């Protein structure tokens, strides 16, 4: 069977996107999805994303890791599917869509996509790490050597490197990952800013938020 696909990337985080509103692509064929994402024998991608119809929002996002398994939320994938939905004529510049972690609002402006992430309230802190869920769970370590996770550059800027499960490798960017770093940095009092610049291997992203009684709300991933 022939299958039309599109290739998108957000800060180097790349995805195969398929318009699955007709439900022609099987979500149960993990071997096929893994083969498509394989960089040597397939198309090559950090993950595969299906755009589907839903009655609760403009569209539904279904995300699979490169290993073929359906996964938790992907921030840069969410930004890519918003651009894809506009390309398909489903939306204009603003949208509300649903993903595995609930509803997300997003806006396209000046070539950028701003994606609202979930609120974050439960944050585990230890001496050497911070653990939190920003749509996907993340273990954040701050270090003076950016080759190992996250390094502070100045009062509101951090370099980030991410190893992703399901990809089982480093990726050039991770949207939920940089969101986790921004919130963890604020929680650990490494910064007082509520707008954080994140330098990743594939470019630069920005995360903004509001903190109210230990809960991070109005969390936006921009890039």
């Amino acid at each position: 069977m022939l299958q039309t696909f599109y290739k998108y990337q957000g800060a180097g985080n790349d995805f195969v996107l398929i318009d699955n509103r007709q439900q022609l692509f099987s979500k149960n064929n993990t071997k096929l999805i893994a083969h498509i994402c394989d960089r040597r024998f397939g198309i090559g991608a950090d993950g595969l994303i299906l755009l589907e119809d839903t009655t609760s929002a403009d569209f539904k996002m279904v995300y699979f890791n490169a290993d073929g398994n359906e996964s938790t939320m992907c921030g840069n994938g969410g930004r890519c599917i918003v651009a894809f939905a506009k390309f398909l004529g489903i939306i204009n510049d603003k949208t509300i869509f649903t993903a595995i972690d609930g509803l997300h609002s997003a806006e396209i402006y000046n070539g950028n996509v701003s994606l609202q992430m979930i609120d974050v309230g439960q944050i585990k802190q230890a001496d050497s790490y911070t653990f939190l869920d920003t749509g996907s769970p993340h273990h954040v370590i701050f270090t003076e050597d950016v080759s190992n996770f996250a390094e502070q550059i100045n009062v509101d800027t951090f370099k980030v490197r991410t190893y992703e499960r399901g990809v089982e490798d480093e990726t050039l960017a991770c949207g939920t990952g940089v969101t986790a770093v921004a919130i963890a940095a604020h929680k650990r009092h490494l910064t007082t800013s509520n707008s954080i610049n994140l330098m990743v291997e594939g470019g630069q992203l920005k995360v903004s938020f509001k903190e109210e009684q230990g809960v991070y709300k109005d969390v936006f991933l921009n890039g």
Side-chain angles (χ1 to χ4, degrees):
M1 181 187 73
L2 293 176
Q3 176 69 63
T4 300
F5 72 90
Y6 299 82
K7 187 79 180 288
Y8 277 62
Q9 61 85 20
N13 220 179
D14 62 340
F15 309 96
V16 171
L17 285 95
I18 295 174
D19 179 358
N20 198 40
R21 287 176 290 174
Q22 302 300 317
Q23 295 291 313
L24 298 178
F25 186 89
S26 173
K27 295 190 282 287
N28 299 318
N29 194 338
T30 57
K31 290 184 178 180
L32 174 61
I33 296 170
H35 177 74
I36 289 172
C37 294
D38 191 290
R39 296 194 182 278
R40 292 175 176 82
F41 298 102
I43 298 164
D46 291 330
L48 180 142
I49 305 173
L50 302 179
L51 184 149
E52 298 186 345
D53 277 330
T54 180
T55 57
S56 61
D58 292 329
F59 60 89
K60 179 181 180 181
M61 170 185 173
V62 183
Y63 175 69
F64 298 87
N65 278 330
D67 63 4
N69 292 305
E70 187 173 356
S71 187
T72 48
M73 181 57 183
C74 176
N76 284 321
R79 295 194 307 111
C80 285
I81 201 171
V82 169
F84 184 46
K86 182 174 181 179
F87 167 77
L88 294 175
I90 298 172
I91 65 169
N92 291 316
D93 292 332
K94 294 184 179 181
T95 185
I96 295 177
F97 70 93
T98 185
I100 194 168
D101 61 342
L103 292 173
H104 291 265
S105 64
E107 182 177 2
I108 301 172
Y109 63 96
N110 297 329
N112 290 335
V113 178
S114 177
L115 172 68
Q116 185 171 22
M117 308 294 282
I118 62 169
D119 293 349
V120 180
Q122 295 185 347
I123 302 174
K124 179 181 178 181
Q125 293 198 90
D127 290 341
S128 61
Y129 70 89
T130 303
F131 185 85
L132 64 164
D133 192 326
T134 55
S136 290
H138 287 279
H139 180 99
V140 180
I141 296 175
F142 291 96
T143 175
E144 294 181 358
D145 179 3
V146 78
S147 65
N148 187 11
F149 302 150
E151 176 188 355
Q152 185 166 13
I153 303 303
N154 56 43
V155 292
D156 64 357
T157 303
F158 294 80
K159 282 186 179 180
V160 181
R161 295 181 70 170
T162 311
Y163 183 92
E164 290 200 50
R165 66 177 186 183
V167 180
E168 304 309 321
D169 201 352
E170 181 179 7
T171 55
L172 295 183
C174 175
T176 57
V178 297
T179 303
V181 168
I183 292 174
H186 189 271
K187 186 72 173 179
R188 297 185 79 92
H189 306 295
L190 297 176
T191 181
T192 58
S193 176
N194 63 354
S195 181
I196 311 296
N197 299 305
L198 292 311
M199 300 167 61
V200 296
E201 294 292 283
Q204 184 167 322
L205 297 164
K206 182 184 287 287
V207 172
S208 60
F209 50 79
K210 295 179 182 177
E211 188 266 331
E212 297 178 2
Q213 298 180 333
V215 178
Y216 289 82
K217 301 180 178 180
D218 293 335
V219 182
F220 283 90
L221 170 66
N222 305 279

